[in-house]
């Protein structure tokens, strides 16, 4: 995965990191060797695991960690006026060359209270890093974990498309979601910029607005299509009108209930992209208009030796409709002898959650691919991972926090983590690797 | 509010916007005048309103809307291979000079199903904008609304601090949260970069890691402090040790239960920032160590004519502890005749939610300021606003979508929205304006 080219400013941290850094510096303690550990207290989504993600962003952040002149001037303006001016000189020269990071691999399964990222280095610097590292790890790991849970709910075969950009926390919330849901087990994204920056396969054809923008066949232009294997342009409107009559007869639907605008939209798209025909068919009525229109256009395309892809459903009872649509595809295939209709895919979208995805498997359905937005990227049922970054050692001495809340106390000292697997668990882990880890560089590491 | 200087790429949109734009372009329809409306279907948080935010980001996005050469090359590589090459020339020349935006003001109260942003212009361009605009409006409005709800729950007097960066959806999720929670009614942020970019007041002093990094008074250096009004440096350790004995006697606590590391941390911070002393006092035990240490250091600072600020509590029963801490402050004030102890502020943090904030008001408490992170920025109880962007008119003709889900159908045609207020409601609206709208440029507009 290439760098996202989004430079994260070292000022992207809480102000108290600077007041603490100053107090360390003032006491001459800023270069004392210190160790922080990053972990979370509870597994998210009421589950038994999390995936760790965000490591490459953290490393890029550390490599680029330098304050700009205007950052330091800003800090001078907001820190107390009695701050020693030499502290700002110290900040200007800071980098992370003395900081070491030890972590499990990106995409690793991790568990509550087990540290998976350890940062050691000069006390003041590793303190400054706290909020930035948490910000880079927390959401990346959460959404990666959520994606893995959707993958487990969907089973290994169903294709999963991430399409949450419009519901994410702003532009790079959306980019982070696309990037880490892919690592978590999704196949595709709708996010074009994520495709360009991270090499994730992108997909998409049309929205309802495209369909509803058409009202008449007069808007279709050009009206002809050259057959796939060459030859004279064919009048596609005429051809499709002929097929539509036969489809309506076969399905027992009334031609006058077909929306002319929907037919025009499908025709126009098919003429633009005859190899990429996958319309959304529920802009008006699936059974009375969307499905007959699709079948008619698809039959015409097949006649011209093009291969339509399938359809998308975005409302209503997705299982029931997918079964009905598949039945119609098979009926067309048999009746008109077009075997291409057997391989059309049915894509479903409409506020799909992990639970509704799991429900799908319990019902008859013919859904090949599922697009997920809101519930994936906002992690509705558990919208934050709650990673913390705790000091465990200073100058070789273990440190701990006690607390009025016992669960907020920390375990002192650096930890070595390891995982014991028996034969069955190794098989499971291998299965996991195949199921959820997309990149060969991201493997489940048993031992840090 | 100045520009955030984060340029949002026009490629930050769903791929299907490009396939649709191509189909429009291919049919010669790309320049047809079209109108889209942006609205949400349900008020968030089970409430009766939302605030609109993100407008300035949208306008900046539209002003900078130009595809770079590498964007277009990327699109060429992922769109179907039969895409007419002239389409890419068209994309290279696109900008938003022909696009008009009509919207209510930033920070306006808006309601479900009422369009608050209308975008009109050439069909293909206004279609391309869909996902980017939704991404810029959805989270900004949601988190702004959430902040307003926290403000209503907190009442007008309590200071509210946003500190959610570490739990936000990555770097600009965090920036967006800081920016729009300030508009929604928060007073301060912990996010230093948000302070620099948006001019939001920043605050913060210390975390537990600072306290736990100290283990002995030998780490305190320098050990002296010059009195506020000048004079010889005073040995602060000696001075504080004397006060600590008297405080323990007054409070009936055992000096040997005081953590030497905590005392060292407070001393060291007070020497670094004698005018900015607001320690977190629950790293070990509030009553046995944190509070006696604070009182001793604060008494010494007062003796040297400095003004400590107060304390922060981050665990346990915040109401009960705040009452106890206030009682101790009053006792010290009376016993040692230091009236400064009457004006200390008590800051509370610890997974505060809208509900727990509302609960505070029902119980005795002495909390002056509340810091909110996770529940504010992730909008736990309703993590997405669900704004949609729907086509309502093409070439002057109204368009609508029907749907298998009746609530997903749209109202055709452009709308004029207005709000009728009686005298009482105007008073309410004015109160709202004062309560939640921070910038003079953001006013509640009754009529669009």
């Amino acid at each position: 995965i290439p760098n996202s080219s989004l430079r994260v400013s070292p000022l992207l941290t809480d102000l108290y990191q600077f007041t603490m850094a100053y107090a360390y510096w003032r006491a001459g303690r800023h270069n004392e060797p210190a160790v922080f550990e990053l972990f979370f207290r509870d597994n998210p989504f009421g589950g038994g695991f999390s995936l760790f993600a965000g490591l490459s962003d953290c490393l890029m952040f550390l490599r680029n960690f330098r304050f700009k002149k205007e950052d330091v001037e800003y800090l001078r303006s907001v820190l107390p006026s009695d701050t020693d001016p030499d502290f700002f000189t110290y900040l200007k020269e800071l980098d992370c060359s003395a900081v070491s990071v030890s972590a499990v691999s990106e995409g690793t399964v991790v568990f509550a209270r087990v540290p998976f990222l350890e940062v050691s280095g000069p006390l003041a610097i590793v303190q400054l890093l706290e909020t930035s590292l948490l910000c880079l790890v927390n959401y990346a790991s959460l959404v990666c974990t959520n994606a893995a849970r959707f993958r487990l709910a969907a089973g290994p075969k169903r294709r999963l498309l991430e399409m949450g950009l419009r519901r994410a926390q702003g532009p790079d919330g959306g980019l982070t979601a696309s990037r880490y849901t892919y690592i978590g087990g999704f196949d595709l994204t709708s996010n074009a910029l994520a495709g360009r920056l991270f090499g994730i396969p992108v997909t998409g054809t049309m929205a309802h607005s495209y369909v509803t923008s058409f009202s008449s066949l007069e808007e279709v232009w050009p009206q002809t299509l050259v057959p796939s294997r060459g030859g004279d342009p064919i009048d596609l409107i005429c051809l499709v009108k002929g097929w539509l009559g036969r489809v309506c007869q076969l399905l027992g639907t009334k031609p006058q209930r077909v929306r002319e605008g929907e037919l025009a939209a499908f025709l126009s798209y098919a003429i633009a992209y005859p190899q990429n025909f996958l319309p959304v068919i529920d802009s008006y009525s699936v059974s009375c208009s969307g499905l007959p229109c699709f079948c008619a256009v698809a039959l015409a395309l097949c006649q011209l030796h093009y291969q339509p892809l399938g359809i998308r459903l975005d409302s209503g009872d997705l299982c029931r409709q997918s079964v009905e649509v598949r039945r119609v595809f098979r009926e067309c295939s048999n009746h008109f002898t077009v075997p291409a209709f057997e391989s059309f895919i049915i894509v479903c979208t409409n506020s799909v959650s992990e639970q509704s995805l799991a429900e799908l498997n319990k019902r008859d359905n013919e859904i090949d691919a599922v697009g997920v937005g809101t519930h994936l990227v906002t992690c509705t049922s558990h919208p934050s991972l709650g990673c913390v970054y705790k000091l465990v050692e200073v100058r070789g001495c273990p440190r701990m926090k006690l607390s009025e809340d016992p669960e907020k106390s920390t375990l002192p000292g650096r930890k070595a983590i390891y995982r014991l697997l028996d034969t069955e668990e190794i098989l499971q882990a291998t299965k996991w690797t195949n199921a959820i880890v997309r990149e060969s560089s991201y493997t489940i590491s048993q031992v840090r």
Side-chain angles (χ1 to χ4, degrees), chain A:
Chain A
I1 287 182
N3 283 354
S4 80
S5 78
L6 298 167
R7 184 183 167 277
V8 174
S9 166
L11 212 55
L12 189 80
T13 192
D14 291 316
L15 187 75
Y16 73 5
Q17 313 293 1
F18 294 102
T19 51
M20 288 190 276
Y22 176 69
Y24 289 138
W25 178 88
R26 185 80 168 77
R29 297 190 62 207
H30 52 293
N31 283 329
E32 284 184 7
V35 183
F36 280 83
E37 285 176 350
L38 201 151
F39 62 93
F40 53 87
R41 296 191 180 105
D42 299 297
N43 288 308
F45 308 108
F49 73 98
S50 180
L51 299 189
F52 166 50
L55 178 59
S56 63
D57 285 334
C58 289
L59 297 179
M60 187 167 66
F61 171 71
L62 297 176
R63 269 194 290 269
N64 295 327
F65 187 95
R66 292 284 286 185
F67 289 98
K68 292 184 177 172
K69 201 173 156 231
E70 58 265 35
D71 296 336
V72 175
E73 289 317 304
Y74 172 72
L75 288 171
R76 196 193 297 274
S77 75
V78 293
L79 287 177
S81 57
D82 48 353
T83 307
D84 186 331
D86 288 347
F87 177 64
F88 299 108
T89 311
Y90 161 76
L91 285 183
K92 276 181 193 159
E93 288 160 7
L94 267 194
D95 64 29
C96 284
S97 53
V99 173
S100 295
V101 170
S102 164
V104 300
S105 305
E106 188 117 43
T108 302
V109 176
V110 288
F111 301 104
R113 297 192 161 268
V114 177
F116 47 88
L117 184 106
E118 180 198 271
V119 182
S120 58
L123 177 57
I125 305 180
V126 292
Q127 178 71 68
L128 280 177
L129 302 176
E130 176 180 21
T131 317
S132 319
L133 295 180
L134 287 173
C135 178
L136 293 171
V137 167
N138 254 327
Y139 177 64
S141 298
L142 181 71
V143 80
C144 188
T145 306
N146 202 22
R149 296 178 62 90
F150 273 86
R151 167 52 69 201
L152 290 170
K157 285 187 192 156
R158 206 165 267 147
R159 306 264 286 168
L160 290 176
L161 158 68
E162 179 273 318
M163 40 173 243
L165 175 58
R166 64 189 65 190
R167 304 292 159 78
Q169 285 185 11
D172 73 18
L175 286 174
T176 307
S178 302
R179 181 175 183 180
Y180 293 106
T181 53
Y182 184 62
I183 291 177
F186 272 56
D187 301 292
L188 298 152
T189 181
S190 69
N191 182 338
L193 188 59
R196 180 164 92 70
L197 293 175
F198 309 124
I200 305 171
V202 288
T203 191
T205 57
M206 74 174 71
H208 295 108
S209 56
Y210 176 80
V211 178
T212 59
S213 83
F214 286 83
S215 51
S216 135
L217 287 174
E218 288 167 25
E219 290 160 323
V220 179
W221 191 91
Q223 304 185 338
T224 59
L225 184 63
V226 175
S228 174
R229 297 169 184 176
D232 290 333
I234 306 291
D235 182 330
L236 199 66
I237 297 189
C238 272
L239 195 63
V240 164
K241 277 185 171 167
W243 280 115
L244 186 62
R246 285 186 269 172
V247 167
C248 286
Q249 200 166 20
L250 176 68
L251 306 182
T253 58
K254 293 177 183 159
Q256 63 271 27
R257 291 205 57 193
V258 166
R259 291 267 170 175
E260 186 176 334
E262 192 164 32
L263 185 62
F266 290 8
L267 266 162
S268 216
Y269 196 91
I271 289 166
Y273 281 136
Q275 303 283 22
N276 194 38
F277 187 58
L278 192 154
V280 60
I281 64 168
D282 66 335
S283 297
Y284 302 104
S285 161
V286 171
S287 55
C288 298
S289 180
L291 187 54
C293 285
F294 169 79
C295 290
V297 176
L299 284 161
L301 286 172
C302 289
Q303 193 181 351
L304 304 182
H305 302 292
Y306 289 104
Q307 174 61 54
L309 299 180
I311 57 99
R312 178 163 75 98
L313 294 164
D314 185 46
S315 57
D317 181 336
L318 301 173
C319 285
R320 185 188 56 69
Q321 289 181 99
S322 73
V323 168
E324 172 62 15
V325 167
R326 186 71 74 201
R327 190 189 61 70
V328 167
F329 287 169
R330 294 211 176 99
E331 212 171 323
C332 287
S333 170
N334 293 334
H335 187 81
F336 302 116
T337 330
V338 261
F341 268 63
E342 301 280 351
S343 56
F344 289 166
I345 63 165
I346 298 174
V347 181
C348 286
T349 54
N350 188 18
S351 299
V352 172
S353 65
E354 184 191 339
Q355 288 64 38
S356 67
L357 201 51
E359 287 297 315
L360 287 187
N361 294 329
K362 298 182 191 155
R363 289 182 56 196
D364 278 349
N365 76 81
E366 292 285 342
I367 300 168
D368 300 297
V370 178
V372 193
T374 310
H375 294 297
L376 179 63
V377 304
T378 65
C379 304
T380 327
S381 65
H382 198 115
S384 74
L385 182 54
C387 280
V388 292
Y389 179 86
K390 293 294 173 193
L391 180 69
V392 294
E393 191 182 284
V394 181
R395 281 190 298 165
C397 299
R399 308 307 309 150
M400 78 180 289
K401 183 184 94 168
L402 297 166
S403 173
E404 301 285 325
D405 299 335
E407 72 275 13
K408 279 185 139 188
S409 297
T410 57
L411 267 180
R414 299 174 83 152
K415 286 121 206 133
I417 67 165
Y418 56 92
R419 195 169 294 160
L420 296 179
L421 299 177
D422 63 20
T423 321
E424 198 181 326
E425 284 166 331
I426 286 169
L427 285 172
Q428 280 284 345
T430 313
K431 207 169 133 198
W432 261 97
T433 311
N434 294 334
I436 57 178
V437 179
R438 315 296 314 176
E439 303 291 297
S440 60
S441 61
Y442 301 125
T443 54
I444 293 182
S445 88
Q446 282 93 268
V447 182
R448 168 169 139 218

PDB file of all heavy atoms in Angstrom, chain A residues 262-280:
ATOM      1  N   GLU A 262     -37.208   5.327 -17.132  1.00  0.00           N
ATOM      2  CA  GLU A 262     -36.318   4.270 -16.664  1.00  0.00           C
ATOM      3  C   GLU A 262     -35.747   3.497 -17.857  1.00  0.00           C
ATOM      4  O   GLU A 262     -34.549   3.198 -17.914  1.00  0.00           O
ATOM      5  CB  GLU A 262     -37.074   3.328 -15.720  1.00  0.00           C
ATOM      6  CG  GLU A 262     -36.166   2.365 -14.970  1.00  0.00           C
ATOM      7  CD  GLU A 262     -36.855   1.705 -13.769  1.00  0.00           C
ATOM      8  OE1 GLU A 262     -38.093   1.481 -13.853  1.00  0.00           O
ATOM      9  OE2 GLU A 262     -36.183   1.430 -12.764  1.00  0.00           O
ATOM     10  N   LEU A 263     -36.625   3.204 -18.824  1.00  0.00           N
ATOM     11  CA  LEU A 263     -36.150   2.501 -20.023  1.00  0.00           C
ATOM     12  C   LEU A 263     -35.112   3.349 -20.756  1.00  0.00           C
ATOM     13  O   LEU A 263     -34.074   2.847 -21.199  1.00  0.00           O
ATOM     14  CB  LEU A 263     -37.348   2.190 -20.942  1.00  0.00           C
ATOM     15  CG  LEU A 263     -37.019   1.339 -22.177  1.00  0.00           C
ATOM     16  CD1 LEU A 263     -36.505  -0.042 -21.785  1.00  0.00           C
ATOM     17  CD2 LEU A 263     -38.253   1.188 -23.083  1.00  0.00           C
ATOM     18  N   ALA A 264     -35.387   4.664 -20.848  1.00  0.00           N
ATOM     19  CA  ALA A 264     -34.446   5.569 -21.526  1.00  0.00           C
ATOM     20  C   ALA A 264     -33.103   5.590 -20.795  1.00  0.00           C
ATOM     21  O   ALA A 264     -32.039   5.582 -21.426  1.00  0.00           O
ATOM     22  CB  ALA A 264     -35.041   6.977 -21.587  1.00  0.00           C
ATOM     23  N   ALA A 265     -33.147   5.614 -19.462  1.00  0.00           N
ATOM     24  CA  ALA A 265     -31.911   5.641 -18.672  1.00  0.00           C
ATOM     25  C   ALA A 265     -31.087   4.383 -18.924  1.00  0.00           C
ATOM     26  O   ALA A 265     -29.877   4.441 -19.141  1.00  0.00           O
ATOM     27  CB  ALA A 265     -32.244   5.767 -17.189  1.00  0.00           C
ATOM     28  N   PHE A 266     -31.760   3.223 -18.906  1.00  0.00           N
ATOM     29  CA  PHE A 266     -31.044   1.955 -19.106  1.00  0.00           C
ATOM     30  C   PHE A 266     -30.463   1.903 -20.520  1.00  0.00           C
ATOM     31  O   PHE A 266     -29.318   1.488 -20.727  1.00  0.00           O
ATOM     32  CB  PHE A 266     -31.978   0.763 -18.877  1.00  0.00           C
ATOM     33  CG  PHE A 266     -32.389   0.542 -17.445  1.00  0.00           C
ATOM     34  CD1 PHE A 266     -32.068   1.461 -16.441  1.00  0.00           C
ATOM     35  CD2 PHE A 266     -33.115  -0.593 -17.082  1.00  0.00           C
ATOM     36  CE1 PHE A 266     -32.453   1.253 -15.118  1.00  0.00           C
ATOM     37  CE2 PHE A 266     -33.497  -0.807 -15.769  1.00  0.00           C
ATOM     38  CZ  PHE A 266     -33.177   0.108 -14.789  1.00  0.00           C
ATOM     39  N   LEU A 267     -31.280   2.309 -21.507  1.00  0.00           N
ATOM     40  CA  LEU A 267     -30.814   2.313 -22.903  1.00  0.00           C
ATOM     41  C   LEU A 267     -29.581   3.208 -23.053  1.00  0.00           C
ATOM     42  O   LEU A 267     -28.579   2.822 -23.674  1.00  0.00           O
ATOM     43  CB  LEU A 267     -31.927   2.844 -23.808  1.00  0.00           C
ATOM     44  CG  LEU A 267     -32.833   1.795 -24.437  1.00  0.00           C
ATOM     45  CD1 LEU A 267     -34.120   2.441 -24.927  1.00  0.00           C
ATOM     46  CD2 LEU A 267     -32.114   1.110 -25.605  1.00  0.00           C
ATOM     47  N   SER A 268     -29.678   4.384 -22.482  1.00  0.00           N
ATOM     48  CA  SER A 268     -28.609   5.357 -22.625  1.00  0.00           C
ATOM     49  C   SER A 268     -27.324   4.834 -21.992  1.00  0.00           C
ATOM     50  O   SER A 268     -26.232   4.978 -22.537  1.00  0.00           O
ATOM     51  CB  SER A 268     -29.047   6.658 -21.951  1.00  0.00           C
ATOM     52  OG  SER A 268     -28.571   7.754 -22.644  1.00  0.00           O
ATOM     53  N   TYR A 269     -27.462   4.219 -20.818  1.00  0.00           N
ATOM     54  CA  TYR A 269     -26.292   3.673 -20.143  1.00  0.00           C
ATOM     55  C   TYR A 269     -25.707   2.510 -20.931  1.00  0.00           C
ATOM     56  O   TYR A 269     -24.484   2.388 -21.078  1.00  0.00           O
ATOM     57  CB  TYR A 269     -26.644   3.221 -18.716  1.00  0.00           C
ATOM     58  CG  TYR A 269     -25.416   3.009 -17.876  1.00  0.00           C
ATOM     59  CD1 TYR A 269     -24.886   4.039 -17.104  1.00  0.00           C
ATOM     60  CD2 TYR A 269     -24.741   1.791 -17.874  1.00  0.00           C
ATOM     61  CE1 TYR A 269     -23.735   3.867 -16.356  1.00  0.00           C
ATOM     62  CE2 TYR A 269     -23.583   1.607 -17.141  1.00  0.00           C
ATOM     63  CZ  TYR A 269     -23.083   2.645 -16.384  1.00  0.00           C
ATOM     64  OH  TYR A 269     -21.934   2.470 -15.653  1.00  0.00           O
ATOM     65  N   ALA A 270     -26.588   1.665 -21.471  1.00  0.00           N
ATOM     66  CA  ALA A 270     -26.127   0.498 -22.238  1.00  0.00           C
ATOM     67  C   ALA A 270     -25.391   0.931 -23.504  1.00  0.00           C
ATOM     68  O   ALA A 270     -24.418   0.307 -23.920  1.00  0.00           O
ATOM     69  CB  ALA A 270     -27.315  -0.394 -22.590  1.00  0.00           C
ATOM     70  N   ILE A 271     -25.848   2.020 -24.108  1.00  0.00           N
ATOM     71  CA  ILE A 271     -25.169   2.531 -25.302  1.00  0.00           C
ATOM     72  C   ILE A 271     -23.805   3.108 -24.912  1.00  0.00           C
ATOM     73  O   ILE A 271     -22.818   2.924 -25.625  1.00  0.00           O
ATOM     74  CB  ILE A 271     -26.062   3.565 -26.019  1.00  0.00           C
ATOM     75  CG1 ILE A 271     -27.245   2.832 -26.674  1.00  0.00           C
ATOM     76  CG2 ILE A 271     -25.277   4.366 -27.058  1.00  0.00           C
ATOM     77  CD1 ILE A 271     -28.380   3.744 -27.117  1.00  0.00           C
ATOM     78  N   ALA A 272     -23.747   3.762 -23.753  1.00  0.00           N
ATOM     79  CA  ALA A 272     -22.470   4.316 -23.289  1.00  0.00           C
ATOM     80  C   ALA A 272     -21.514   3.204 -22.856  1.00  0.00           C
ATOM     81  O   ALA A 272     -20.328   3.238 -23.175  1.00  0.00           O
ATOM     82  CB  ALA A 272     -22.707   5.289 -22.129  1.00  0.00           C
ATOM     83  N   TYR A 273     -22.021   2.241 -22.117  1.00  0.00           N
ATOM     84  CA  TYR A 273     -21.190   1.184 -21.542  1.00  0.00           C
ATOM     85  C   TYR A 273     -21.811  -0.189 -21.774  1.00  0.00           C
ATOM     86  O   TYR A 273     -22.290  -0.830 -20.833  1.00  0.00           O
ATOM     87  CB  TYR A 273     -21.007   1.407 -20.032  1.00  0.00           C
ATOM     88  CG  TYR A 273     -19.973   2.446 -19.686  1.00  0.00           C
ATOM     89  CD1 TYR A 273     -20.210   3.398 -18.704  1.00  0.00           C
ATOM     90  CD2 TYR A 273     -18.722   2.445 -20.322  1.00  0.00           C
ATOM     91  CE1 TYR A 273     -19.239   4.334 -18.369  1.00  0.00           C
ATOM     92  CE2 TYR A 273     -17.754   3.387 -19.989  1.00  0.00           C
ATOM     93  CZ  TYR A 273     -18.018   4.322 -19.021  1.00  0.00           C
ATOM     94  OH  TYR A 273     -17.060   5.240 -18.684  1.00  0.00           O
ATOM     95  N   PRO A 274     -21.809  -0.667 -23.012  1.00  0.00           N
ATOM     96  CA  PRO A 274     -22.466  -1.963 -23.274  1.00  0.00           C
ATOM     97  C   PRO A 274     -21.807  -3.141 -22.538  1.00  0.00           C
ATOM     98  O   PRO A 274     -22.465  -4.157 -22.312  1.00  0.00           O
ATOM     99  CB  PRO A 274     -22.344  -2.108 -24.799  1.00  0.00           C
ATOM    100  CG  PRO A 274     -21.241  -1.186 -25.214  1.00  0.00           C
ATOM    101  CD  PRO A 274     -21.264  -0.053 -24.235  1.00  0.00           C
ATOM    102  N   GLN A 275     -20.556  -2.993 -22.144  1.00  0.00           N
ATOM    103  CA  GLN A 275     -19.859  -4.080 -21.427  1.00  0.00           C
ATOM    104  C   GLN A 275     -19.996  -3.949 -19.923  1.00  0.00           C
ATOM    105  O   GLN A 275     -19.392  -4.733 -19.185  1.00  0.00           O
ATOM    106  CB  GLN A 275     -18.346  -4.061 -21.761  1.00  0.00           C
ATOM    107  CG  GLN A 275     -18.000  -4.168 -23.226  1.00  0.00           C
ATOM    108  CD  GLN A 275     -18.140  -5.597 -23.753  1.00  0.00           C
ATOM    109  OE1 GLN A 275     -18.854  -6.430 -23.178  1.00  0.00           O
ATOM    110  NE2 GLN A 275     -17.488  -5.854 -24.877  1.00  0.00           N
ATOM    111  N   ASN A 276     -20.668  -2.922 -19.454  1.00  0.00           N
ATOM    112  CA  ASN A 276     -20.638  -2.600 -18.031  1.00  0.00           C
ATOM    113  C   ASN A 276     -22.051  -2.343 -17.519  1.00  0.00           C
ATOM    114  O   ASN A 276     -22.276  -1.495 -16.676  1.00  0.00           O
ATOM    115  CB  ASN A 276     -19.766  -1.332 -17.863  1.00  0.00           C
ATOM    116  CG  ASN A 276     -19.374  -1.075 -16.412  1.00  0.00           C
ATOM    117  OD1 ASN A 276     -19.092  -2.012 -15.683  1.00  0.00           O
ATOM    118  ND2 ASN A 276     -19.371   0.196 -16.023  1.00  0.00           N
ATOM    119  N   PHE A 277     -23.018  -3.111 -18.035  1.00  0.00           N
ATOM    120  CA  PHE A 277     -24.428  -2.801 -17.769  1.00  0.00           C
ATOM    121  C   PHE A 277     -24.902  -3.459 -16.481  1.00  0.00           C
ATOM    122  O   PHE A 277     -25.100  -4.673 -16.422  1.00  0.00           O
ATOM    123  CB  PHE A 277     -25.272  -3.251 -18.973  1.00  0.00           C
ATOM    124  CG  PHE A 277     -26.716  -2.836 -18.875  1.00  0.00           C
ATOM    125  CD1 PHE A 277     -27.068  -1.504 -18.745  1.00  0.00           C
ATOM    126  CD2 PHE A 277     -27.727  -3.783 -18.919  1.00  0.00           C
ATOM    127  CE1 PHE A 277     -28.397  -1.113 -18.652  1.00  0.00           C
ATOM    128  CE2 PHE A 277     -29.061  -3.412 -18.830  1.00  0.00           C
ATOM    129  CZ  PHE A 277     -29.391  -2.069 -18.695  1.00  0.00           C
ATOM    130  N   LEU A 278     -25.060  -2.641 -15.450  1.00  0.00           N
ATOM    131  CA  LEU A 278     -25.548  -3.130 -14.156  1.00  0.00           C
ATOM    132  C   LEU A 278     -26.377  -2.003 -13.538  1.00  0.00           C
ATOM    133  O   LEU A 278     -25.892  -1.233 -12.728  1.00  0.00           O
ATOM    134  CB  LEU A 278     -24.363  -3.520 -13.248  1.00  0.00           C
ATOM    135  CG  LEU A 278     -24.693  -4.317 -11.981  1.00  0.00           C
ATOM    136  CD1 LEU A 278     -23.507  -5.156 -11.541  1.00  0.00           C
ATOM    137  CD2 LEU A 278     -25.189  -3.455 -10.843  1.00  0.00           C
ATOM    138  N   PRO A 279     -27.637  -1.876 -13.980  1.00  0.00           N
ATOM    139  CA  PRO A 279     -28.433  -0.748 -13.494  1.00  0.00           C
ATOM    140  C   PRO A 279     -29.040  -1.009 -12.121  1.00  0.00           C
ATOM    141  O   PRO A 279     -29.168  -2.157 -11.690  1.00  0.00           O
ATOM    142  CB  PRO A 279     -29.532  -0.635 -14.548  1.00  0.00           C
ATOM    143  CG  PRO A 279     -29.711  -2.026 -15.045  1.00  0.00           C
ATOM    144  CD  PRO A 279     -28.360  -2.691 -14.971  1.00  0.00           C
ATOM    145  N   VAL A 280     -29.393   0.075 -11.438  1.00  0.00           N
ATOM    146  CA  VAL A 280     -30.191  -0.020 -10.219  1.00  0.00           C
ATOM    147  C   VAL A 280     -31.646  -0.067 -10.687  1.00  0.00           C
ATOM    148  O   VAL A 280     -32.073   0.749 -11.510  1.00  0.00           O
ATOM    149  CB  VAL A 280     -29.875   1.159  -9.263  1.00  0.00           C
ATOM    150  CG1 VAL A 280     -30.161   2.522  -9.874  1.00  0.00           C
ATOM    151  CG2 VAL A 280     -30.608   1.007  -7.941  1.00  0.00           C
TER     152      VAL A 280
END
